[in-house]
Amino acid sequence: MRLVKLIANLGYGSRKEIQTAIRHGWVTDREGNRLKADATTAHEDILFDDEPLDPAPGMVLLLNKPVGYTCSTKDSGRLVYDLLPDRFRVRKPVLSTIGRLDKETSGALLFTDDGTFLHRVISPKSEVPKVYEAELDRPLRGDEAALFASGDMMLEGEDKPLRPAELEVLDEKRARLTLHEGRYHQVRRMFAATGNHVNALSRLTIGGLGLDGVAEGEWRLLDEVDKAKIFG
């Protein structure tokens, strides 16, 4: 791929803008040598304005999503993409969230521009577990763990029972819930079916990948070890 198209597809600017950047010497190799538009320098050795290029397509990142942000590129209000570099929003292939968290849910949220990886994570066949922590409006009844684990629980408006889920009681109004599927507002609807209401909800882990070292509102790129943890 020509250097101009490569950098433009990463979101650094239009092809015309990248051509201008190359003419001004803003695109170099790691030794500081100016690169021409037809350069065949390896991706990892290219600098744009003295900084390494963003990863090539196949990028996966983890965001610690705060409450109040919507998983969308077009909705009004604060969007999860506002927490990432502006250029990430216009990468080609597009950088998409892997699943969603509703506006009032915080925690682990993955992004990728790799469609194959995205579908592997969300596929029911992968059975990637997700752990949530919920703060409830009223004390737990005591039978929630058995109900959620039964494999017989039906949500209103659906005709297929939920897969068994594991509940860990933290205190009378707090619990951790491990899901093995991802239905619309599933955690909130499960507790609503028991007569309770979720006041606060956070996703702690996706598979074996947690938020260690990622502060709220911050993100980090994942390497192959991180990605393997999701399925491990």
Side-chain angles (χ1 to χ4, degrees), residues 55-181:
M59 178 172 75
V60 182
L61 65 86
L62 171 69
L63 171 72
N64 189 346
K65 176 191 172 297
V67 168
Y69 287 80
T70 302
C71 292
S72 171
T73 58
K74 299 178 181 179
D75 289 358
S76 59
R78 294 183 295 177
L79 309 178
V80 290
Y81 289 91
D82 297 338
L83 300 168
L84 307 177
D86 288 343
R87 61 184 178 273
F88 282 13
R89 199 181 303 219
V90 292
R91 279 177 64 105
K92 296 178 183 178
V94 65
L95 184 68
S96 302
T97 61
I98 301 180
R100 299 167 68 91
L101 292 177
D102 66 57
K103 184 177 181 180
E104 300 309 317
T105 299
S106 62
L109 179 66
L110 295 173
F111 293 74
T112 189
D113 56 10
D114 182 340
T116 300
F117 183 83
L118 185 154
H119 289 293
R120 184 184 173 199
V121 176
I122 67 175
S123 171
K125 294 181 180 179
S126 296
E127 296 186 347
V128 174
K130 302 175 182 68
V131 178
Y132 296 81
E133 185 168 315
E135 295 183 10
L136 305 169
D137 189 52
R138 289 180 287 280
L140 291 156
R141 301 186 315 200
D143 63 344
E144 290 90 350
L147 175 62
F148 294 168
S150 68
D152 298 323
M153 186 176 185
M154 297 282 291
L155 293 178
E156 184 177 354
E158 298 193 8
D159 57 7
K160 184 179 179 181
L162 297 175
R163 290 186 178 185
E166 298 83 52
L167 182 74
E168 176 189 357
V169 176
L170 301 177
D171 61 39
E172 66 174 8
K173 292 186 179 181
R174 287 193 311 126
R176 284 183 183 159
L177 184 62
T178 302
L179 302 184
H180 302 276
E181 60 186 329

Side-chain angles (χ1 to χ4, degrees), residues 1 5-7 9-10 43 53-60 91-95 112-115 117 224 227:
M1 184 183 298
K5 183 179 180 181
L6 167 67
I7 299 176
N9 282 357
L10 294 177
H43 187 113
L53 289 182
D54 295 330
M59 178 172 75
V60 182
R91 279 177 64 105
K92 296 178 183 178
V94 65
L95 184 68
T112 189
D113 56 10
D114 182 340
F117 183 83
E224 293 304 316
K227 288 188 279 187

